[in-house]
Amino acid sequence: MKYYESHEDAYRKVKEDNISSWDEFKKASESFENFCMKEYLVTALDKIKPISNARVLEIGCGTGPISCFLAQQGYKVDGFDVSQTAIEIAQTNAKARGLDIHFSVDDICSISKTRSDIYDIIIDGHCMHCITYDSDRHAALTNVFKLLKKGGYFIIETMSIEDSAKWSHNGRVDEQGIVWCEVKEDFPYDKVKFEDKYWICTRRIMSPSDLENELKQTGFLIEHIEIIKDEKLNMADFRAICRKPMSD
Ligand SMILES: C[S@@+](CC[C@H](N)C(=O)[O-])C[C@H]1O[C@@H](n2cnc3c(N)ncnc32)[C@H](O)[C@@H]1O
């Protein structure tokens, strides 16, 4: 099983403890409605002024706070996540709010949809930094690009740091900005052995300029970038509005 599928274990705990969302699980928010990306999402939507019935996809939607918010704004929303448990909770959350959202289990690195040019907007609320290896990130961003309509927008908020070596973390951060956490030998997800211990990669923390280059190399036009620094955590949020060109 792929390393990022280990989110399933976290969502089983979320379900057990009756927690509403990833942000609440990480103690970054106190309610389903006040998800961390909200402020930026509102600003970004205001900037791009989408058509009222825009088709929107959220990749890595977790238990659905962002997708539910978007559906409440009137957009036609799909959301998917690698975690089956997250999707079951997202479906319950949408139903409880009377929202019609299509949630499914899928993997942005090897997406099952074969069609392209479907969505007016695709949102990443902290999924891309869970995808660590260059090959997986390339596959994920290529799929986002393919799923967008021409002229469609990719709105991303993801972790970033200028110099990942300076980030203090209880795991290890390598020179590429991949964060490794030690696991037991019987850990069921993709793990790597080094220094006689087993490790799983959990995050990829890239510099703002590397993130910008990666998006440009995928073919996106960058319309807006902002970096929100958290001095206490020595970390930043990289926020961007990217556009798929109107012509090939
Ligand atoms: C930090 S959580 C954020 C969840 C959600 N966006 C929210 O705001 O609550 C990142 C999510 O990305 C999902 N994820 C990680 N890798 C994925 C992949 N390859 N395809 C789809 N979802 C993925 C995880 O299961 C997790 O739910």
Side-chain angles (χ1 to χ4, degrees), residues 173-186:
V173 187
D174 70 17
E175 63 287 349
Q176 283 186 294
I178 298 180
V179 181
W180 297 92
C181 291
E182 196 181 337
V183 290
K184 298 215 169 87
E185 188 176 354
D186 61 356

Side-chain angles (χ1 to χ4, degrees), residues 5 9 12-14 36 76 111 146 183 190-191 211 238:
E5 291 179 74
D9 295 2
R12 287 191 187 152
K13 181 101 182 73
V14 162
C36 293
K76 196 170 173 335
I111 185 115
K146 201 173 91 180
V183 290
D190 275 354
K191 53 190 175 300
L211 285 165
F238 171 94

Side-chain angles (χ1 to χ4, degrees), residues 36-208:
C36 293
M37 194 189 179
K38 189 169 188 173
E39 179 208 319
Y40 180 55
L41 189 58
V42 170
T43 313
L45 291 171
D46 194 48
K47 273 190 204 300
I48 67 176
K49 303 205 181 332
I51 49 167
S52 60
N53 59 348
R55 278 202 74 180
V56 184
L57 169 70
E58 185 191 1
I59 61 166
C61 62
T63 62
I66 297 176
S67 292
C68 286
F69 171 77
L70 290 164
Q72 281 161 341
Q73 309 308 302
Y75 303 118
K76 196 170 173 335
V77 183
D78 293 343
F80 69 76
D81 199 285
V82 275
S83 162
Q84 172 79 43
T85 301
I87 290 302
E88 284 165 14
I89 305 172
Q91 283 162 339
T92 308
N93 282 331
K95 200 168 165 205
R97 289 164 177 77
L99 299 169
D100 181 18
I101 301 175
H102 180 254
F103 284 116
S104 58
V105 177
D106 217 327
D107 178 350
I108 189 58
C109 302
S110 57
I111 185 115
S112 58
K113 279 191 174 64
T114 48
R115 284 175 49 211
S116 46
D117 303 323
I118 302 174
Y119 295 101
D120 298 290
I121 305 171
I122 298 184
I123 310 287
D124 171 22
H126 302 172
C127 171
M128 275 305 296
H129 60 224
C130 305
I131 300 172
T132 61
Y133 299 126
D134 283 343
S135 54
D136 290 337
R137 293 183 64 84
H138 176 73
L141 288 174
T142 303
N143 284 330
V144 168
F145 191 83
K146 201 173 91 180
L147 288 165
L148 271 178
K149 289 180 185 167
K150 289 194 173 72
Y153 290 95
F154 178 41
I155 301 174
I156 175 170
E157 182 175 276
T158 196
M159 289 165 90
S160 174
I161 191 167
E162 197 54 65
D163 180 358
S164 58
K166 290 197 181 134
W167 190 42
S168 54
H169 186 270
N170 54 7
R172 294 173 59 141
V173 187
D174 70 17
E175 63 287 349
Q176 283 186 294
I178 298 180
V179 181
W180 297 92
C181 291
E182 196 181 337
V183 290
K184 298 215 169 87
E185 188 176 354
D186 61 356
F187 192 71
Y189 304 95
D190 275 354
K191 53 190 175 300
V192 171
K193 191 175 180 187
F194 55 86
E195 291 172 358
D196 241 14
K197 292 175 181 164
Y198 292 91
W199 304 82
I200 182 166
C201 51
T202 57
R203 296 276 178 278
R204 176 76 177 268
I205 317 287
M206 293 165 63
S207 69

